[in-house]
């Protein structure tokens, strides 16, 4: 701090110039959102691997897959023309009034034939058809299949907290405050380049501050990107004014989405027109976009305005090389056979704005670059999670040494609440996450609404952990919860052996790295938690000094620590 | 893909280690004294060059767009590794970063062919 500013700093921290003001903002805005942000970040990080987690959580399916792993590969479907006919017959008979028919005559081995349509009451209808006969396949759930939402729980929770629109808004406001905390944190951290690589372990408060700074600063580009793209994802919800200005107040969102998703959708004329064979259009589209056809969408069937759009598959090379997840798309007016729209893979129908939006959401979802990118996201996400956790803990560590006296007579009570929330939000939520995996194995397979019970187990465990954290002394609560977390994580492979008979060695032997990854990852977290529990056990408690005593004894030194602690 | 990942990670790790050792505080952790000005300059230059080179395998392994995003990710990963290893095993940081630099640069040659 330079000489000119010295007299300003001598005032209270709130009045002491930009850096002190930002330190105050960072501490207090950061603290109140850190618990929720920790939850959003931890579940978001796990969401990176939602598919492997789902795979682990559907062991019957995984084992069946493994049993057929050595079968000769199925040939690619060649009777697409016939499949399209079957689906068109089905739609003509069952849903002639729907103004959109969507058919997946999938060319890939192991896939069947599916049809989708807009229900008159709103929403999507769907049916799976037998690709040889066109008969509807009824999906009665087999008794051995467990009903679960799998890893998608983490995806849903991290952006809507399983609370629908309200949850989306809560997450949005939290994310906004996170951006405030990031900017104020950067301004506060005056030695950002000097301390770039600094981490001093085993030095108490110093170490927590170093760790908080290091994980935040070293992964700063990621933290900004993930928060910003997360907000951009729902921009039409969060910033509705432009849409309202363009489309008016009534049903603006619907009209906007219709324009956005169905560029150039034709208007019905009322003149009848027979549906021609669609296979020739599929072949033309494959030529035009250079991708296999995944979905065939028919607008206004049997009307002269009829239009068919062919959508392609993203091959692995496409997602490796492109930030945009848009597939190719070619549309034809069936009255004339003319090509009316063409989107090459990776491009956008809605211009630069549409492409920006597609790239932003794909950046957030790590939908590019393949598995290596997912691991980079996973580790950067863990660093972000650690940033929230260390920040929340740092607040308490500092005040355990010296009370700040911020709430007058209530200070100790507020600190107690902060301490409880720290334990419940950090250790408690982690237990709830691994508890969700335990619930998947422990809840009987035949139970009604089983997926709902898994979710209830998640929230139930979390609530129990909150109650536990409030009832036990802080240090005991940390040790017990971290110990429980370690046990649940380390015993995950044992649970799997006892419940399904499948074990880690067998998973590795058959090359099922998705299942093995979940269990090995769980064990890694378990070791980390065990180490944490051991470290807390070793910590020596010092009695909290009262704020008043400190102020009279060493007023200047206290300010020194305050500013140093924030830097 | 794996060679590109290893090469990018090795270069970012070695580059970050080099930048780190150019700082007096961290130079002291390894050698017990401050860096001479010309040594510091050389380490800074080497670090910058290694980090810049790390973009090469990223672009070669993915593409110009995805590669840049991957590069930013590897920079963070390399820096995190350095910050975590330095206080516990400064000598190991020195040896491993030298090894990483040599191996990754050798790997880079194969990318250019």
């Amino acid at each position: 701090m330079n000489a000119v500013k010295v007299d300003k700093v001598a005032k209270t921290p709130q009045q002491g110039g930009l850096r002190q003001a930002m330190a105050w903002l960072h501490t207090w805005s950061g603290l109140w959102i850190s618990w929720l942000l920790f939850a959003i970040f931890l579940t978001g990080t796990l969401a990176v691997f939602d598919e492997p987690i789902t795979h682990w959580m559907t062991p019957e399916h995984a084992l069946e897959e493994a049993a057929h792993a050595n079968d000769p590969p199925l040939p690619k479907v060649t009777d697409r023309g016939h499949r399209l006919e079957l689906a068109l017959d089905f739609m003509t008979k069952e849903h002639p009034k729907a103004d959109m028919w969507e058919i997946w005559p999938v060319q890939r081995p192991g896939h069947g034939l599916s049809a989708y349509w807009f229900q008159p009451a709103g929403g999507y209808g769907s049916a799976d058809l037998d690709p040889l006969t066109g008969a509807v396949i009824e999906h009665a759930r087999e008794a051995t299949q467990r009903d679960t939402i799998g890893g998608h729980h983490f995806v849903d929770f991290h952006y809507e907290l399983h609370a629908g629109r309200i949850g989306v808004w809560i997450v949005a406001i939290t994310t906004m405050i996170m951006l405030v905390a990031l900017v104020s944190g950067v301004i506060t951290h005056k030695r950002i380049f000097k301390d770039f690589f600094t981490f001093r372990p085993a030095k108490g408060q110093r170490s927590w501050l170093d760790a908080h700074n290091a994980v935040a600063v070293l992964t700063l580009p990621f933290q900004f990107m993930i928060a910003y793209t997360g907000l951009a994802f729902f921009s039409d919800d969060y910033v509705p004014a432009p849409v309202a200005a363009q489309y008016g107040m009534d049903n603006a969102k619907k009209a906007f989405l219709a324009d956005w998703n169905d560029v150039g959708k034709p208007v019905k004329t009322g003149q009848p027109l027979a549906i021609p064979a669609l296979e020739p259009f599929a072949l033309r589209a494959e030529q035009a976009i250079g991708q296999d056809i995944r979905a065939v969408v028919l607008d206004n069937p049997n009307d002269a305005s009829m239009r068919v759009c062919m959508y392609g598959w993203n091959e692995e090379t496409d997602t490796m090389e492109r930030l945009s997840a848009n597939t190719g798309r070619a549309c034809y007016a069936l009255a004339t056979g003319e090509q009316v729209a063409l989107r090459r893979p990776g491009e956008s129908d809605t211009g630069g704005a549409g492409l920006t939006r597609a790239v932003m959401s794909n950046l957030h979802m790590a939908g590019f670059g393949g598995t290596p990118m997912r691991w980079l996201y996973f580790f950067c996400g863990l660093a972000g999670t650690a940033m929230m956790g260390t920040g929340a803990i740092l607040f308490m560590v500092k005040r355990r040494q010296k009370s700040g006296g911020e709430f007058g007579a209530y200070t100790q009570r507020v600190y107690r609440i902060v301490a409880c929330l720290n334990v419940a939000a950090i250790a408690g939520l982690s237990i709830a996450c691994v508890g969700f995996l335990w619930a998947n194995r422990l809840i009987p397979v035949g139970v009604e609404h089983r997926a709902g019970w898994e979710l209830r187990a998640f929230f139930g465990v979390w609530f129990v952990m909150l109650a536990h954290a409030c009832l036990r002394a802080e240090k005991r609560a940390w040790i017990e919860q971290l110990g429980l977390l370690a046990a649940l994580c380390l015993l995950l492979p044992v649970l799997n052996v006892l419940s399904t008979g499948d074990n880690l060695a067998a998973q590795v032997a058959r090359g099922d790295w998705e299942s093995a990854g979940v269990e090995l990852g769980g064990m890694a977290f378990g070791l980390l938690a065990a180490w944490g529990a051991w470290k807390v056990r070793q910590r020596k408690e010092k009695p909290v000094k009262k704020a008043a005593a400190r102020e009279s004894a060493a007023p200047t030194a206290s300010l020194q620590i305050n500013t140093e602690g924030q830097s | 893909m794996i060679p590109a990942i290893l090469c990018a990670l090795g270069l970012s790790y070695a580059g970050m280690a080099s930048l780190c050792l150019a700082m007096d505080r961290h130079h002291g952790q390894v050698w017990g004294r401050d860096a001479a000005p010309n040594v510091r300059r050389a380490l800074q230059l080497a670090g910058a060059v290694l980090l810049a080179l790390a973009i090469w395998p990223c672009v070669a392994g993915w593409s110009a767009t995805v590669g840049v995003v991957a590069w930013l990710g590897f920079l963070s990963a390399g820096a995190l590794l350095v910050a975590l290893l330095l206080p516990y095993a400064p000598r190991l940081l020195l040896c491993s970063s030298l090894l990483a630099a040599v191996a990754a640069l050798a790997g880079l040659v194969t990318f250019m062919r």
Side-chain angles (χ1 to χ4, degrees):
Chain A
M1 152 182 348
N2 59 41
V4 188
K5 283 189 183 160
V6 163
D7 60 335
K8 277 189 155 185
V9 171
K11 297 176 184 170
T12 68
Q14 284 89 330
Q15 298 167 311
L18 180 69
R19 213 183 296 276
Q20 263 70 30
M22 287 295 140
W24 180 87
L25 177 66
H26 183 77
T27 303
W28 292 101
S29 70
L31 176 72
W32 302 118
I33 59 159
S34 62
W35 303 302
L36 188 52
L37 265 184
F38 183 90
I40 294 170
F41 259 69
L42 181 63
T43 51
T45 303
L46 293 171
V48 168
F49 289 121
D50 66 327
E51 281 173 20
I53 293 172
T54 303
H55 178 86
W56 188 88
M57 290 177 77
T58 49
E60 292 81 13
H61 182 244
L63 285 173
E64 198 188 305
E65 237 175 51
H68 293 287
N70 291 326
D71 294 355
L74 292 162
K76 202 163 145 178
V77 173
T78 51
D79 62 341
R80 184 176 58 199
H82 179 59
R83 289 182 170 211
L84 284 170
E85 304 273 314
L86 289 174
L88 288 179
D89 284 350
F90 166 77
M91 290 304 293
T92 310
K93 243 185 282 163
E94 301 293 329
H95 304 282
K97 291 268 185 290
D99 63 356
M100 192 282 294
W101 296 357
E102 179 175 337
I103 302 162
W104 288 50
V106 193
Q107 291 277 75
R108 303 296 158 109
H111 287 278
L113 173 63
S114 316
Y116 306 87
W117 58 92
F118 283 144
Q119 310 250 22
Y124 251 127
S126 74
D128 284 339
L129 308 176
D130 184 323
L132 295 177
T133 65
V136 180
I137 301 171
E138 298 292 344
H139 285 286
R141 202 164 48 78
E142 287 171 41
T144 56
Q145 262 177 345
R146 64 186 72 205
D147 179 25
T148 178
I149 59 169
H152 216 76
H153 155 63
F154 297 113
V155 180
D156 288 348
F157 181 85
H158 104 279
Y159 80 87
E160 59 161 27
L161 312 172
H162 291 299
R165 300 233 64 73
I166 295 172
V168 169
W169 273 95
I170 294 174
V171 173
I173 293 163
T174 313
T175 312
M176 253 341 273
I177 303 175
M178 173 185 164
L179 284 173
V180 170
L182 277 178
V183 174
S184 58
V186 168
I187 296 173
T188 306
H189 188 12
K190 61 183 173 211
R191 300 191 302 175
I192 196 162
F193 289 110
K194 269 191 179 160
D195 283 344
F196 202 73
F197 296 103
T198 303
F199 173 55
R200 285 157 286 186
K203 289 207 164 65
Q205 183 185 334
R206 185 85 259 169
S207 304
W208 285 106
L209 181 61
D210 278 350
H212 181 64
N213 287 341
V215 288
V217 170
L218 298 181
T219 59
L220 201 59
F222 176 83
Q223 310 306 345
F224 267 112
M225 180 278 287
I226 210 76
Y228 186 82
T229 53
L231 285 173
F233 214 109
F234 291 100
S235 52
D236 50 312
D237 279 332
Y238 300 154
V239 193
V243 174
Q246 188 72 25
Y247 292 92
M249 293 305 282
D250 302 325
N251 273 329
K253 179 85 186 286
K254 209 176 158 196
F256 165 70
L257 285 181
D259 264 8
W260 187 265
N261 296 323
D262 297 313
V263 193
K265 179 162 177 153
V267 183
K268 256 190 179 159
T269 62
Q271 306 285 327
L273 179 72
I275 303 173
L278 294 180
E279 176 64 12
F281 290 103
L283 291 172
R284 266 175 78 186
E286 279 181 334
Q287 284 289 320
I289 62 175
Q291 288 187 321
D292 280 356
I293 298 306
R294 164 179 55 108
V296 175
V297 176
L298 198 62
D299 292 309
N300 303 345
N302 291 312
D303 187 89
S305 62
M306 194 165 29
R307 179 188 72 161
V308 68
C309 288
M310 303 281 174
Y311 289 82
W313 283 95
N314 265 340
E315 300 297 337
E316 207 183 328
T317 49
D318 290 318
T319 54
M320 287 302 260
E321 291 178 358
R322 280 190 213 112
L323 286 179
S324 155
N326 285 346
T327 60
R329 170 180 182 265
C331 297
Y332 302 90
L334 291 183
T336 59
E338 242 180 305
Q339 177 170 301
V340 289
L342 177 67
R343 174 179 86 195
R344 287 200 175 71
E347 289 177 357
S348 167
D349 301 316
T350 37
L355 188 61
T356 306
R357 198 181 148 99
V359 168
M360 288 266 185
S361 46
N362 210 38
L363 264 178
H364 190 86
M365 293 189 293
F368 63 97
T371 311
M373 202 64 73
R374 294 193 163 264
W375 278 103
L376 274 181
Y377 267 67
F378 185 73
F379 283 116
C380 287
L382 282 183
T385 313
M387 168 171 81
M388 314 306 170
T390 50
I393 292 170
L394 178 61
F395 180 93
M396 270 324 291
V397 169
K398 251 179 90 167
R399 280 155 187 81
R400 210 178 287 133
Q401 316 276 326
K402 252 177 205 114
S403 166
E406 295 97 337
F407 299 95
Y410 294 100
T411 300
Q412 288 312 317
R413 249 176 275 176
V414 174
Y415 286 179
R416 173 69 189 147
I417 294 170
V418 170
C420 291
L421 288 173
N422 271 355
V423 179
I426 296 170
L429 175 80
S430 309
I431 293 171
C433 285
V434 67
F436 180 67
L437 298 184
W438 276 73
N440 176 263
R441 289 295 196 268
L442 294 181
I443 297 173
V445 173
V447 171
E448 289 243 341
H449 307 298
R450 195 175 171 287
W453 283 109
E454 287 184 6
L455 274 188
R456 271 168 228 141
F458 171 81
F459 285 109
V461 168
W462 199 6
F463 183 78
V464 169
M465 289 306 132
L466 175 63
H468 172 262
C470 294
L471 292 175
R472 304 288 280 169
E474 192 194 356
K475 187 175 169 180
R476 290 305 316 164
W478 273 114
I479 296 171
E480 286 164 7
Q481 294 208 9
L482 285 173
L484 177 62
L485 176 62
L488 289 177
C489 287
L490 288 168
L491 291 175
L492 200 59
V494 178
L495 171 72
N496 197 22
V497 173
L498 294 179
S499 59
T500 68
D502 193 21
N503 66 67
L504 198 51
Q507 289 162 2
V508 173
R510 67 170 184 263
D512 181 1
W513 285 105
E514 289 197 312
S515 298
V518 169
E519 292 184 9
L520 288 171
M523 287 167 76
F525 280 114
L527 290 176
L528 209 61
W531 176 76
W534 180 69
K535 290 298 273 190
V536 179
R537 233 185 106 83
Q538 290 212 313
R539 196 185 68 205
K540 288 192 188 68
E541 295 280 5
K542 270 182 245 160
V544 180
K545 289 173 209 152
K546 283 274 156 56
R550 164 182 64 93
E551 290 296 350
S552 59
T556 46
S558 84
L559 188 62
Q560 200 62 40
I561 282 167
N562 260 339
T563 51
E564 193 191 11
Q566 304 285 4
S567 62
Chain B
M1 184 46 61
I2 303 240
I5 297 165
L6 290 178
C7 192
L9 192 60
L11 288 171
S12 354
Y13 173 63
M16 284 294 180
S18 192
L19 286 184
C20 172
L21 295 177
M23 297 163 80
D24 282 338
R25 181 194 289 168
H26 305 308
H27 199 87
Q29 277 173 281
V30 175
W31 285 288
R33 59 187 145 76
D34 285 359
N38 51 347
V39 172
R40 186 162 58 220
R41 277 262 148 249
L43 281 169
Q44 279 170 346
L45 187 69
V49 169
L50 287 169
L51 292 185
L53 279 178
I55 207 168
W56 187 292
C58 291
V59 169
W62 283 276
S63 66
T65 48
V66 176
V68 172
V69 179
W71 178 62
L72 286 172
F74 282 118
L75 290 189
S76 284
L80 277 176
L81 275 176
V82 171
L84 195 66
L85 197 57
L86 181 70
Y88 295 103
R91 281 276 156 193
L92 181 65
L93 174 78
L94 178 66
C95 301
S96 61
S97 64
L98 273 174
L99 203 68
V102 172
L105 285 172
L108 205 58
V109 175
T110 64
F111 270 103
M112 288 175 174
R113 275 211 214 110

